[in-house]
Amino acid sequence: MIDCLFCKIVKGEIPAEIVQESERTLAFRDINPQAPTHVLVIPKGHFANAAELALADDGLADEVFKTAHAIAVAEGIADTGYRLVFNTGPGAGQTVFHVHGHLLGGRGLTWPPG
């Protein structure tokens, strides 16, 4: 997508602090972190939301989840716990319409999230 912020990050047109990259996924630090570890994990291809990613049915959603877990291990939060959030649609708080998982950890997380 031409105007998609995350597609521009994938293309290198907008800088980001890259945490991990594979052939089909990219993970980078959130510019407005809500926890000591706050990393966004995205597919490099454009899918508007989690529902579109799930319908892709080619194992890409698995890769996004596996990438998030690998980062949690590398960041030292896998054993204490972490949260992975996918906001889908404006009513859920999605503001960038390129599916992304928020990997959050490094502090106690309350429930419900808000």
Side-chain angles (χ1 to χ4, degrees):
M1 291 206 71
I2 294 171
D3 290 330
C4 175
L5 172 67
F6 291 169
C7 286
K8 290 179 179 181
I9 290 173
V10 168
K11 292 178 186 174
E13 296 172 1
I14 294 177
E17 186 179 343
I18 305 300
V19 175
Q20 187 170 321
E21 183 172 7
S22 72
E23 184 178 322
R24 299 197 317 160
T25 64
L26 183 70
F28 51 93
R29 300 215 182 269
D30 194 294
I31 61 169
N32 185 26
Q34 301 299 305
T37 296
H38 189 169
V39 175
L40 302 179
V41 183
I42 68 169
K44 287 183 175 180
H46 185 86
F47 297 89
N49 55 46
E52 282 189 14
L53 178 62
L55 292 173
D57 195 31
D58 65 351
L60 185 54
D62 292 344
E63 286 185 44
V64 170
F65 276 87
K66 287 176 182 177
T67 298
H69 177 68
I71 294 166
V73 170
E75 296 277 323
I77 61 171
D79 290 338
T80 57
Y82 60 91
R83 184 171 290 164
L84 189 56
V85 177
F86 289 83
N87 298 320
T88 299
Q94 185 178 9
T95 57
V96 177
F97 293 89
H98 182 127
V99 65
H100 54 286
H102 294 260
L103 171 62
L104 299 151
R107 68 168 172 81
L109 301 170
T110 61
W111 193 262

